Amino acid sequence: VLRGSDLIAVKADGTQKWQNKFTDPSEMTFTSPTIDQNGTIYLGAEGKNQGIYYSIIYAFNPDGTIKWKYPVEGGRFVRALPTIDSNGNIIVTTKANELANPARIISISPGGTKEWDYTIENVHSTPDDIYSTPSIDNNRLIYFGAETGYLYVLNPDGTLNYKYQLPCAINWSSPT
């Protein structure tokens, strides 16, 4: 359960198991957490420190302690759920931060280091964001949509396999 800058685990009987906070009390999240097979909890948070906006991917241990934090480059916010691939990598999509920092999809290792990233092109006069939660098929291909009006399909190494032009932009929908 998320409450403000608190992450709270609740037992099946309705009692609190643990509670932890983000590093900065100004941080908040727009996503639900994703949990891997080992019980590690992943989610993106965003905040503002000394007038600068930032975003962080958090990994919490099953006991609620912070396992690691990954700072998202370029002040890009994460507004979609993280997805976990078959190697345990955490795949996240980001918003753009103005035209100079276009939106990205990032693969982060289970240890908290970047494996790869893929930056989408801006096709409009305003920044094109990604709000789409990535989906991964049995061949490990990664699918996501963006405000560019394309459905993107990446190979497991983060390179573009293909993109398909849609009749409209994809904002909050995710492929299945």
Side-chain angles (χ1 to χ4, degrees), residues 10-102:
V10 179
K11 297 178 188 176
D13 66 6
T15 59
Q16 183 173 308
K17 182 175 179 180
W18 53 257
Q19 178 176 350
N20 200 343
K21 297 182 177 300
F22 296 134
T23 304
D24 184 330
S26 75
E27 292 174 359
M28 61 182 172
T29 185
F30 287 88
T31 73
S32 298
T34 299
I35 303 172
D36 72 12
Q37 64 186 13
N38 300 316
T40 302
I41 304 158
Y42 304 97
L43 66 114
E46 57 193 66
K48 185 177 180 181
N49 187 349
Q50 298 178 351
I52 298 173
Y53 290 99
Y54 66 91
S55 187
I56 293 176
I57 304 301
Y58 277 94
F60 289 92
N61 290 304
D63 67 0
T65 57
I66 296 174
K67 183 174 186 176
W68 52 256
K69 298 184 298 184
Y70 175 83
V72 178
E73 301 92 346
R76 297 169 173 95
F77 290 152
V78 174
R79 299 272 172 95
L81 276 72
T83 302
I84 301 168
D85 72 12
S86 60
N87 292 328
N89 294 319
I90 301 87
I91 312 294
V92 295
T93 57
T94 74
K95 287 176 49 74
N97 180 5
E98 304 299 331
L99 289 172
N101 291 308

Side-chain angles (χ1 to χ4, degrees), residues 108-128:
I108 305 166
S109 75
T113 59
K114 180 168 65 173
E115 294 291 311
W116 54 258
D117 64 48
Y118 178 82
T119 303
I120 67 167
E121 71 284 3
N122 283 311
V123 299
H124 300 99
S125 60
T126 58
D128 291 312

Side-chain angles (χ1 to χ4, degrees), residues 128-145:
D128 291 312
D129 295 327
I130 307 171
Y131 295 105
S132 179
T133 297
S135 296
I136 303 172
D137 72 11
N138 291 337
N139 296 316
R140 299 179 49 222
L141 295 176
I142 303 162
Y143 300 78
F144 66 96

